[in-house]
Amino acid sequence: MIKTKFTKLLPIMFTIVTFFYSFSNAAEIDNTYSLVYEKISPSIVSIEANLDVGVSSGTGCVITSNGIILTSLHVVNKAKNIEITTSSGRTYKGKVIAILRDKNDLALVKIDTKENLQTVKFGDSENVKVGQQVLAIGNPFGFRGTLTTGIISRIDYQRKKLQTDAAINPGCSGGPLIDLNGEVIGINQSIYNPDNNRSNIGIGFAVPSNYARDFILAVTKTKNY
């Protein structure tokens, strides 16, 4: 009789244990997101550039403490004026010092600052797996320091792109795609949608971080910054 009652209680006990485990796991993930954001957000800047066609908004990753910033080329290409705002809220004039014209769409911009800027840390994009959780930080539609989450949806080896469902909107180009260790595994570049890039439908693309590191290394080897 006792055994029968205990047996009937087992599904209920299992449900309760599963609920609390899931709740604890979700809380742990949420905390991880917050910690990663706090860790890397001081290394991210917002960019506004005056182009012939209008104002271009984007995001950048600080790669040297004296003010070299990595972003997407299309954000600053042929800009007449570039303004970069750091996490401290200070705004500086930026100057393009190097560009990569191929499909990787990358540029380096320099600001003159006395701030000791925090820099990003790059991860190895060769180790990226489909399905792994990622975060993106950017300035969509001018909302600075916006965090979104998602996964790696696909790795496009032919086009050398990481596809993600983390929300990437206009203003996020040049910002980091980050793993849960807080390392940059990609530079957000573009979105695909049928409404002329007015909104995100869950198909975004990032340049793998290893290509960005190769670009940075090639520039710093030939120029003294």
mmCIF file of all heavy atoms in Angstrom, residues 29-39 135 147:
data_model
loop_
_atom_site.group_PDB
_atom_site.id
_atom_site.type_symbol
_atom_site.label_atom_id
_atom_site.label_comp_id
_atom_site.label_asym_id
_atom_site.label_seq_id
_atom_site.Cartn_x
_atom_site.Cartn_y
_atom_site.Cartn_z
ATOM 1 N N ILE A 29 21.776 31.294 -16.535
ATOM 2 C CA ILE A 29 22.035 31.828 -17.874
ATOM 3 C C ILE A 29 21.834 33.336 -17.896
ATOM 4 O O ILE A 29 22.640 34.078 -18.458
ATOM 5 C CB ILE A 29 21.124 31.140 -18.908
ATOM 6 C CG1 ILE A 29 21.537 29.669 -19.078
ATOM 7 C CG2 ILE A 29 21.196 31.866 -20.257
ATOM 8 C CD1 ILE A 29 20.616 28.880 -19.958
ATOM 9 N N ASP A 30 20.740 33.813 -17.273
ATOM 10 C CA ASP A 30 20.475 35.245 -17.211
ATOM 11 C C ASP A 30 21.629 35.978 -16.538
ATOM 12 O O ASP A 30 22.030 37.062 -16.971
ATOM 13 C CB ASP A 30 19.170 35.519 -16.448
ATOM 14 C CG ASP A 30 17.945 35.116 -17.266
ATOM 15 O OD1 ASP A 30 18.091 34.942 -18.485
ATOM 16 O OD2 ASP A 30 16.871 34.988 -16.675
ATOM 17 N N ASN A 31 22.154 35.390 -15.475
ATOM 18 C CA ASN A 31 23.273 36.004 -14.759
ATOM 19 C C ASN A 31 24.517 36.034 -15.637
ATOM 20 O O ASN A 31 25.278 37.007 -15.613
ATOM 21 C CB ASN A 31 23.551 35.230 -13.471
ATOM 22 C CG ASN A 31 24.568 35.926 -12.593
ATOM 23 O OD1 ASN A 31 24.434 37.115 -12.308
ATOM 24 N ND2 ASN A 31 25.584 35.202 -12.166
ATOM 25 N N THR A 32 24.719 34.977 -16.419
ATOM 26 C CA THR A 32 25.860 34.931 -17.326
ATOM 27 C C THR A 32 25.771 36.054 -18.352
ATOM 28 O O THR A 32 26.755 36.744 -18.630
ATOM 29 C CB THR A 32 25.923 33.577 -18.053
ATOM 30 O OG1 THR A 32 26.097 32.533 -17.094
ATOM 31 C CG2 THR A 32 27.083 33.544 -19.053
ATOM 32 N N TYR A 33 24.578 36.262 -18.919
ATOM 33 C CA TYR A 33 24.383 37.337 -19.886
ATOM 34 C C TYR A 33 24.744 38.686 -19.268
ATOM 35 O O TYR A 33 25.435 39.512 -19.883
ATOM 36 C CB TYR A 33 22.933 37.390 -20.360
ATOM 37 C CG TYR A 33 22.475 36.219 -21.201
ATOM 38 C CD1 TYR A 33 21.117 35.995 -21.419
ATOM 39 C CD2 TYR A 33 23.388 35.352 -21.787
ATOM 40 C CE1 TYR A 33 20.686 34.932 -22.203
ATOM 41 C CE2 TYR A 33 22.965 34.286 -22.555
ATOM 42 C CZ TYR A 33 21.618 34.076 -22.760
ATOM 43 O OH TYR A 33 21.188 33.030 -23.531
ATOM 44 N N SER A 34 24.289 38.907 -18.051
ATOM 45 C CA SER A 34 24.556 40.183 -17.375
ATOM 46 C C SER A 34 26.044 40.375 -17.136
ATOM 47 O O SER A 34 26.588 41.461 -17.339
ATOM 48 C CB SER A 34 23.804 40.238 -16.041
ATOM 49 O OG SER A 34 22.407 40.201 -16.242
ATOM 50 N N LEU A 35 26.711 39.310 -16.701
ATOM 51 C CA LEU A 35 28.151 39.397 -16.412
ATOM 52 C C LEU A 35 28.949 39.661 -17.686
ATOM 53 O O LEU A 35 29.892 40.457 -17.680
ATOM 54 C CB LEU A 35 28.630 38.111 -15.744
ATOM 55 C CG LEU A 35 28.128 37.868 -14.316
ATOM 56 C CD1 LEU A 35 28.574 36.494 -13.827
ATOM 57 C CD2 LEU A 35 28.629 38.955 -13.365
ATOM 58 N N VAL A 36 28.573 38.987 -18.775
ATOM 59 C CA VAL A 36 29.262 39.201 -20.050
ATOM 60 C C VAL A 36 29.057 40.637 -20.520
ATOM 61 O O VAL A 36 30.002 41.297 -20.967
ATOM 62 C CB VAL A 36 28.762 38.205 -21.120
ATOM 63 C CG1 VAL A 36 29.316 38.584 -22.497
ATOM 64 C CG2 VAL A 36 29.183 36.790 -20.765
ATOM 65 N N TYR A 37 27.833 41.133 -20.407
ATOM 66 C CA TYR A 37 27.540 42.509 -20.818
ATOM 67 C C TYR A 37 28.358 43.511 -20.014
ATOM 68 O O TYR A 37 28.956 44.438 -20.574
ATOM 69 C CB TYR A 37 26.051 42.806 -20.660
ATOM 70 C CG TYR A 37 25.668 44.196 -21.098
ATOM 71 C CD1 TYR A 37 25.497 44.492 -22.443
ATOM 72 C CD2 TYR A 37 25.499 45.215 -20.168
ATOM 73 C CE1 TYR A 37 25.155 45.773 -22.856
ATOM 74 C CE2 TYR A 37 25.160 46.501 -20.571
ATOM 75 C CZ TYR A 37 24.990 46.771 -21.911
ATOM 76 O OH TYR A 37 24.670 48.056 -22.317
ATOM 77 N N GLU A 38 28.388 43.322 -18.702
ATOM 78 C CA GLU A 38 29.156 44.229 -17.841
ATOM 79 C C GLU A 38 30.639 44.185 -18.168
ATOM 80 O O GLU A 38 31.346 45.191 -18.079
ATOM 81 C CB GLU A 38 28.930 43.866 -16.380
ATOM 82 C CG GLU A 38 27.520 44.168 -15.881
ATOM 83 C CD GLU A 38 27.253 43.597 -14.510
ATOM 84 O OE1 GLU A 38 28.192 43.024 -13.903
ATOM 85 O OE2 GLU A 38 26.109 43.719 -14.029
ATOM 86 N N LYS A 39 31.099 43.011 -18.582
ATOM 87 C CA LYS A 39 32.513 42.820 -18.889
ATOM 88 C C LYS A 39 32.930 43.518 -20.178
ATOM 89 O O LYS A 39 33.983 44.150 -20.248
ATOM 90 C CB LYS A 39 32.808 41.320 -18.986
ATOM 91 C CG LYS A 39 34.231 40.965 -19.369
ATOM 92 C CD LYS A 39 34.393 39.451 -19.457
ATOM 93 C CE LYS A 39 35.799 39.055 -19.881
ATOM 94 N NZ LYS A 39 35.937 37.569 -19.967
ATOM 95 N N LEU A 135 25.809 36.468 -27.965
ATOM 96 C CA LEU A 135 25.219 37.764 -27.649
ATOM 97 C C LEU A 135 25.744 38.791 -28.638
ATOM 98 O O LEU A 135 26.845 38.644 -29.162
ATOM 99 C CB LEU A 135 25.579 38.200 -26.225
ATOM 100 C CG LEU A 135 25.103 37.340 -25.061
ATOM 101 C CD1 LEU A 135 26.096 36.215 -24.786
ATOM 102 C CD2 LEU A 135 24.957 38.173 -23.803
ATOM 103 N N LEU A 147 21.754 45.085 -25.894
ATOM 104 C CA LEU A 147 22.168 43.685 -25.871
ATOM 105 C C LEU A 147 21.062 42.806 -26.431
ATOM 106 O O LEU A 147 19.894 42.955 -26.051
ATOM 107 C CB LEU A 147 22.479 43.254 -24.437
ATOM 108 C CG LEU A 147 22.820 41.762 -24.230
ATOM 109 C CD1 LEU A 147 24.191 41.446 -24.808
ATOM 110 C CD2 LEU A 147 22.755 41.405 -22.751
#
